[in-house]
Amino acid sequence: MTNALTLDVPAGVPWIDFRREFDAPAAAVWNAHRDPDLVSRWLGPHGYEMVVERWDFTTGGGYRYVHRDPDDPEGGEYGFRGAFHTVREDLVVQTFEYDGMPDEVALELLRFVDLGDGRCRLEGRSIGTTVEGRDAMVQSGMETGMAQGYERLDGLLVPAAAAPSADRTTGA
């Protein structure tokens, strides 16, 4: 059984809050956000291929990736890009922009909260530029894509959580 993703989409404001607990240490979850090979294995909806074109997970770095839908007869590709403003082991502040909605750049905050006993909670806020843009993201199926991605992340983290002090899927 996986942990549930909780989304809070308050009316009249351009942000979304989300929370998701993991049965893995915060350092392992953070590392799964840091390592582009790991990111490409969990981020996004089921069935999509993810191609990471750029992933510089450092303060001042940036990213660009494309999700490809192999079932789309028109070759559906969905590109995303952003900048990492702050990268620390407990906090990531980044921007997020979907190619299909240019100029709707969101500011995102991710907090990696240690819950003890090898568990953690990811807490996030995505702040859009408009309520309409935020609502379009919600209506695009983002919640399903996030939930499916975190389910895959659980699968990557299980060996890490079970390992006594091995590399925790971190390469450390």
Side-chain angles (χ1 to χ4, degrees):
M1 181 173 160
T2 62
N3 296 308
L5 170 67
T6 302
L7 241 57
D8 182 19
V9 186
V13 294
W15 68 75
I16 300 166
D17 289 325
F18 64 91
R19 291 177 307 285
R20 172 64 155 74
E21 293 186 4
F22 294 90
D23 298 327
V29 174
W30 182 86
N31 189 61
H33 285 74
R34 179 197 61 81
D35 183 326
D37 178 54
L38 293 174
V39 171
S40 69
R41 294 165 56 193
W42 67 264
L43 184 63
H46 290 323
Y48 282 39
E49 175 191 5
M50 181 176 174
V51 177
V52 177
E53 296 176 355
R54 178 176 179 237
W55 196 265
D56 180 9
F57 194 71
T58 60
T59 297
Y63 66 91
R64 173 152 175 78
Y65 62 88
V66 175
H67 280 135
R68 293 188 176 130
D69 181 356
D71 297 327
D72 185 338
E74 298 178 20
E77 290 192 352
Y78 310 94
F80 302 88
R81 67 186 181 108
F84 294 113
H85 179 76
T86 302
V87 174
R88 296 190 325 235
E89 290 189 10
D90 63 335
L91 174 71
V92 174
V93 180
Q94 66 185 40
T95 61
F96 175 86
E97 183 176 11
Y98 166 51
D99 288 351
M101 297 177 62
D103 302 329
E104 286 290 340
V105 180
L107 177 64
E108 299 182 335
L109 295 90
L110 302 173
R111 294 189 187 283
F112 301 81
V113 180
D114 181 1
L115 299 176
D117 295 328
R119 300 188 71 245
C120 73
R121 180 176 49 246
L122 181 62
E123 300 174 347
R125 173 170 280 183
S126 177
I127 307 165
T129 52
T130 64
V131 173
E132 294 78 17
R134 187 272 323 250
D135 290 348
M137 289 294 288
V138 171
Q139 292 167 0
S140 74
M142 68 167 273
E143 183 174 4
T144 299
M146 288 177 71
Q148 291 176 349
Y150 290 145
E151 288 172 15
R152 281 197 306 284
L153 179 53
D154 281 336
L156 292 173
L157 296 170
V158 166
S165 64
D167 72 6
R168 305 178 310 186
T169 310
T170 64

